């Protein structure tokens, strides 16, 4: 869950280059649709904050197929659009070259059509509608999540508040095994936080973060046990966690799961006895994920 600005000049012109690169009957169909697509692109941009309310328009089967084909078939013009989008990511937040902006845990490997091309074929190669994400998030979103209720954050157009909304509560079960619960509290039903909550739930981020956090936590606790073989105090435990938290680069945004986890750990001092009961293991293989 992170956002960035869309900074690409003349995004409309770029997609019309794809139209021009086609040949035969398909090219004619696309050229006849240019004015309609221009109007639709302007509508997209003027409705950027409420795209979930943007009504579909009617295209014939032939037009829809030609518009979708602009994305489904690779052309140099389409590659140019993707390259400029990747350049936009690199310029603003290089971290997002290696992490999907929807989940911040997996590597982006595909492009999400924020408004799905099956329903909005006119935006199939419209760069503001293309977001580089991981395969899992793309499948979860599929053709949904932006109809009537916005359940997916638009990376370019939804500005997230600069506050930490993601919380991780850490408790211990009867066997002293840490239990983590990631959540996004919203006691006042704030609209911006509701969007973050919707996104968090739609992409199953609670379960995803727990999966990643389990490995991270087991390594972290063992590192503490190794570093403090005679035992760690509650004060040092908190200081160590704050130190690690403060090392997290700002380009992870305000809702990075590791940051929420470290804060949650710092709130539960019962973890100190868990660490002090671990065997000190000397190994060069311990490395935090
Ligand atoms: Zn993802």
């Amino acid at each position: 869950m992170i956002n960035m600005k869309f900074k690409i000049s003349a995004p409309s012109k770029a997609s019309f280059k794809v139209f021009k690169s086609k040949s035969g009957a398909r090219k004619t169909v696309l050229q006849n649709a240019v004015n309609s697509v221009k109007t639709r692109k302007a509508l997209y941009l003027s409705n950027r904050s409420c795209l979930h309310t943007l009504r579909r328009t009617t295209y014939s089967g032939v037009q829809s197929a030609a518009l979708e084909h602009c994305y489904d078939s690779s052309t140099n013009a389409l590659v140019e659009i993707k390259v400029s989008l990747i350049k936009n990511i690199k310029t603003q937040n290089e971290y997002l070259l290696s992490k999907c902006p929807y989940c911040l845990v997996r590597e982006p490997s595909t492009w999400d059509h924020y408004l799905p091309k099956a329903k909005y074929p006119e935006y199939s190669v419209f760069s503001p509608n293309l977001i580089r994400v991981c395969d899992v998030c793309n499948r979860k979103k599929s053709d949904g999540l932006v109809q009537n209720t916005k359940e997916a954050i638009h990376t370019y157009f939804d500005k997230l508040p600069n506050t930490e909304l993601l919380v991780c509560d850490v408790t211990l079960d009867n066997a002293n095994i840490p239990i983590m619960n990631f959540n996004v509290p919203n006691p006042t039903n704030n609209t911006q936080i509701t969007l973050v909550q919707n996104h968090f739930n739609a992409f199953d981020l609670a379960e995803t973060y727990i999966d990643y956090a389990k490995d991270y936590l087991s390594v972290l606790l063992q590192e503490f046990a190794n570093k403090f073989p005679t035992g760690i105090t509650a004060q040092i435990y908190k200081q160590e966690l704050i130190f690690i938290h403060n090392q997290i680069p700002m380009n992870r945004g305000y809702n990075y799961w590791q940051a929420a986890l470290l804060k949650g750990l710092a709130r539960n001092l019962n973890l100190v006895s868990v660490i002090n009961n671990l065997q000190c293991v000397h190994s060069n293989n311990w490395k935090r994920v």
Side-chain angles (χ1 to χ4, degrees), residues 30-44:
L30 289 169
Q31 279 177 338
N32 288 337
V34 163
N35 284 338
S36 152
V37 173
K38 267 186 189 168
T39 307
R40 293 292 295 169
K41 285 176 178 178
L43 261 181
Y44 190 107

Side-chain angles (χ1 to χ4, degrees), residues 6-160:
F6 183 80
K7 288 183 181 172
I8 292 177
S9 56
S12 289
K13 283 184 186 168
S15 51
F16 288 130
K17 272 173 96 177
V18 180
F19 286 20
K20 284 180 186 162
S21 71
K22 300 293 176 184
S23 58
R26 191 170 278 139
K27 185 170 189 167
T28 308
V29 170
L30 289 169
Q31 279 177 338
N32 288 337
V34 163
N35 284 338
S36 152
V37 173
K38 267 186 189 168
T39 307
R40 293 292 295 169
K41 285 176 178 178
L43 261 181
Y44 190 107
L45 295 175
S46 61
N47 285 276
R48 63 183 75 186
S49 62
C50 55
L51 286 168
H52 57 294
T53 64
L54 190 63
R55 291 196 177 173
R56 293 168 65 182
T57 191
T58 310
Y59 289 104
S60 69
V62 174
Q63 284 176 318
S64 292
L67 289 166
E68 280 194 62
H69 188 263
C70 288
Y71 182 84
D72 295 336
S73 157
S74 186
T75 53
N76 287 340
L78 176 56
V79 170
E80 266 182 47
I81 289 173
K82 291 178 178 175
V83 166
S84 67
L85 283 164
I86 289 172
K87 200 172 154 194
N88 181 46
I89 297 168
K90 191 173 180 184
T91 310
Q92 286 190 59
N93 189 348
E94 210 160 332
Y95 179 64
L96 296 181
L97 292 176
S98 62
K99 294 289 181 233
C100 162
Y102 286 170
C103 64
L104 283 186
V105 290
R106 291 174 290 257
E107 196 175 340
S109 57
T110 180
W111 295 89
D112 176 44
H113 288 82
Y114 187 78
L115 291 183
K117 64 181 164 56
K119 295 175 181 170
Y120 299 85
E122 68 273 32
Y123 303 130
S124 77
V125 288
F126 187 42
S127 46
N129 195 44
L130 294 173
I131 299 172
R132 192 163 177 260
V133 300
C134 74
D135 183 51
V136 175
C137 286
N138 207 4
R139 272 187 278 118
K140 280 187 196 295
K141 185 162 169 291
S142 186
D143 288 344
L145 302 186
V146 285
Q147 283 172 310
N148 302 321
T149 305
K150 189 186 276 194
E151 293 180 76
I153 291 167
H154 194 303
T155 306
Y156 309 135
F157 298 143
D158 290 322
K159 184 158 169 43
L160 300 180

Side-chain angles (χ1 to χ4, degrees), residues 261-275:
L261 172 62
L262 289 163
K263 285 204 163 178
L265 290 170
R267 286 193 298 271
N268 189 342
L269 299 182
N270 292 329
L271 267 293
V272 171
S273 60
V274 174
I275 295 166

